[in-house]
Amino acid sequence: MTGLKFDVHHTDGMARRGTLSTAHGDIQTPAFMPVGTAGTVKAMTPENVAGTGAEIILGNTYHLMLRPTAERVQRLGGLHKFMNWPGPILTDSGGYQVMSLSELNKITEEGVRFRSHVDGSYHDLSPEVSIDIQHKLDSNITMCMDECTPFPAEKEVAEKSMQLSMRWAKRSKDAFVERDGYGLFGIVQGSTYEDLRKHSADALIDIGFDGYAVGGLAVGEGQEMMFETLDYTVPFLPTDRPRYLMGVGKPSDLVGSVMRGIDMFDCVLPTRSGRTNQAFTRHGQINLRNARHKDDPRPLDAKCSCPACTNYSRAYINHLVTCKEILGLTLLSWHNLQYYQDLMAGMRTAIEKGTLAEFAKTFYAEQAAGDIEPYQEV
Ligand SMILES: [Zn+2]
C-alpha cells in the first residue's frame, strides 16, 4: 500500500524521528494525538489545539456514528470541515467503545451488535461498516476493527481473540478504499504472549498495511509489563511504516515507549485530567484543588509557554476550579495539551541530536523531584 508516505530521518537507539504525510498535511513523529471524541477536543477550540503544536487529532467512530451520524458529517463536508480541523485526522474503529460503553453488546464472527448508550437503539458494527463510517468521516488514518482482548486473559482466550481480530483485519483491508494521502492501520493483538504477538504481526504484514498499531495495552497490565511487551513486539514490525501505541498514556509511558520505537500515541489523559483539576508539569502531576496553591502567584510551570502559564497564577486557577468555573477546566486542558506537545517536541529534537537517553534521564529526575516548594511570601 502506498496511501501514506512515511520517512524516517533519524534514529537514536530504537527511537525514530520521522514524517508521516497525509492528504491534510504532515505529521512530525514521534507524535501525540489529542482525542476529539465527539468531534471536539473537550473544552478547547481546534485553533487552540493546533496552537499547542498538535498536528493530528483522533475522532471516535462509536460516538460520531451515534451523534451526529457519519452520514450527516459526510453531507456537511467531512469531519475536517464539520469541526474546523483542517489537519490530519485518525479515527478508531469504534469496536473498543462498543465493548466498553454500550449495553448488550454481542460479539459474533460477523461483528458486534449493541445498544446505544444515548437512546437505547440497536446497531450492528462489523469491519465493513466501521471502514465505511470512517470513510464517510473522511478520516486520513482509518483503523481496522479489532477485538480489544481484556487483561488478564488466559492464553487460549487471547489466541482466539487475536485470531478473530486477524480475520477482521483482512475484511477491513478488503473494505478499505485506497486513496492518495489516506491509509489503513492494522492492530497487533496477542495480550502479553510473545508468540501470539509475533503471529499477529506476521498475519498483518501478510495482509499489508500503511501502519501498525500495538493494541490491547494500557488495559491494566502496568507500565513494566507494557514496556516488556513492546520490547519484543516492536521488532516484529516493519521499520519503514509508522508504529502506533493505542490509548497511551502518562508522560513517563510516552518517554519509555518512544525509546522502544513507537512513533504515535493518543490518550484522553491530558484533557480528562484537566477536567479533574490535574496538571502535568516537568515536576510531576499536581492537583489544583490543593490548598497549597491558594496564595501562590506563580504559574503551573515556569517554563511552559501556554496561556494558562503565561497569563494566570496557580492561585487564580485554584479559585476557578474551587468555584467549578468552566475556564478552570479550559486552562488546565490547554496547559496539559501544551505539556504533552512540548514533551514530544523535546523528544523529537533529542532523537535528531542522538541525545534521547540524556533527555530521558533529565525527564525522570525532574519528575522524581516533585513539585516546587510551597509558596512563601517574602
Ligand atoms: Zn502551561
Side-chain angles (χ1 to χ4, degrees):
M1 288 174 84
T2 53
L4 297 173
K5 192 164 158 275
F6 183 59
D7 293 316
V8 176
H9 324 292
H10 300 84
T11 56
D12 183 358
M14 285 294 288
R16 300 119 61 85
R17 169 75 187 89
T19 304
L20 179 63
S21 302
T22 77
H24 289 81
D26 290 350
I27 303 145
Q28 302 307 319
T29 67
F32 179 80
M33 305 182 276
V35 177
T37 302
T40 163
V41 177
K42 288 191 199 300
M44 297 284 290
T45 66
E47 296 88 330
N48 294 339
V49 173
T52 64
E55 293 175 316
I56 174 169
I57 58 166
L58 181 144
N60 286 123
T61 287
Y62 172 77
H63 292 275
L64 295 167
M65 70 183 279
L66 297 177
R67 291 182 305 195
T69 75
E71 289 71 21
R72 181 165 289 127
V73 172
Q74 186 179 37
R75 281 197 302 275
L76 292 164
L79 190 55
H80 303 87
K81 186 164 180 233
F82 183 59
M83 69 176 288
N84 189 34
W85 175 267
I89 294 175
L90 178 148
T91 46
D92 64 6
S93 70
Y96 177 76
Q97 265 133 358
V98 163
M99 292 164 215
S100 58
L101 292 179
S102 68
E103 294 169 50
L104 296 174
N105 63 68
K106 185 168 174 267
I107 303 173
T108 62
E109 183 67 33
E110 179 53 29
V112 194
R113 165 156 289 195
F114 67 96
R115 275 184 82 171
S116 157
H117 76 290
V118 177
D119 62 5
S121 56
Y122 282 94
H123 299 264
D124 290 304
L125 193 67
S126 65
E128 292 79 12
V129 170
S130 171
I131 298 295
D132 180 55
I133 291 171
Q134 296 180 73
H135 186 108
K136 287 178 171 137
L137 295 172
D138 199 27
S139 168
N140 296 98
I141 301 177
T142 293
M143 298 303 299
C144 280
M145 183 160 145
D146 67 340
E147 185 189 24
C148 185
T149 313
F151 180 85
E154 296 289 333
K155 192 166 182 185
E156 264 173 58
V157 175
E159 180 163 13
K160 234 177 116 193
S161 167
M162 181 272 286
Q163 294 287 11
L164 176 66
S165 289
M166 296 306 102
R167 293 192 296 277
W168 283 0
K170 176 73 175 79
R171 283 166 56 190
S172 297
K173 170 78 184 274
D174 291 343
F176 182 72
V177 180
E178 289 188 32
R179 292 146 290 161
D180 266 354
Y182 292 80
L184 177 67
F185 281 22
I187 305 171
V188 179
Q189 290 289 350
S191 189
T192 49
Y193 302 101
E194 183 172 350
D195 56 336
L196 297 187
R197 289 280 178 183
K198 168 93 172 97
H199 185 102
S200 179
D202 287 347
L204 294 176
I205 291 164
D206 274 352
I207 300 168
F209 290 96
D210 293 290
Y212 295 84
V214 182
L217 289 176
V219 288
E221 76 282 0
Q223 191 184 66
E224 199 180 325
M225 197 174 266
M226 179 173 83
F227 285 168
E228 196 186 308
T229 307
L230 290 179
D231 281 333
Y232 57 72
T233 302
V234 170
F236 299 148
L237 303 176
T239 54
D240 63 346
R241 294 283 97 204
R243 303 158 178 163
Y244 163 30
L245 180 55
M246 301 177 79
V248 173
K250 297 190 298 286
S252 63
D253 295 332
L254 304 187
V255 174
S257 302
V258 165
M259 295 183 85
R260 288 167 172 80
I262 296 295
D263 306 302
M264 299 167 67
F265 302 89
D266 79 281
C267 193
V268 294
L269 211 52
T271 41
R272 181 173 289 167
S273 300
R275 299 196 306 282
T276 56
N277 315 315
Q278 308 287 317
F280 293 99
T281 76
R282 283 176 299 123
H283 307 289
Q285 196 173 333
I286 60 175
N287 184 342
L288 269 295
R289 274 300 294 271
N290 196 312
R292 66 172 269 168
H293 305 299
K294 273 193 189 315
D295 291 296
D296 195 335
R298 297 170 299 179
L300 295 171
D301 189 329
K303 282 195 183 164
C304 177
S305 65
C306 87
C309 293
T310 323
N311 302 325
Y312 305 97
S313 63
R314 289 184 176 209
Y316 181 60
I317 297 172
N318 169 273
H319 160 70
L320 291 176
V321 300
T322 302
C323 300
K324 299 198 185 326
E325 285 291 339
I326 293 167
L327 181 59
L329 312 183
T330 292
L331 290 177
L332 286 173
S333 299
W334 204 331
H335 165 78
N336 286 339
L337 289 172
Q338 186 72 61
Y339 174 78
Y340 268 63
Q341 292 303 332
D342 289 351
L343 180 64
M344 301 312 293
M347 286 196 277
R348 289 195 296 267
T349 304
I351 296 168
E352 287 169 9
K353 292 185 186 157
T355 57
L356 186 61
E358 286 104 285
F359 178 94
K361 210 171 142 198
T362 306
F363 166 84
Y364 287 116
E366 284 185 336
Q367 292 281 313
D371 195 14
I372 51 176
E373 289 298 312
Y375 181 69
Q376 305 259 320
E377 224 172 317
V378 280

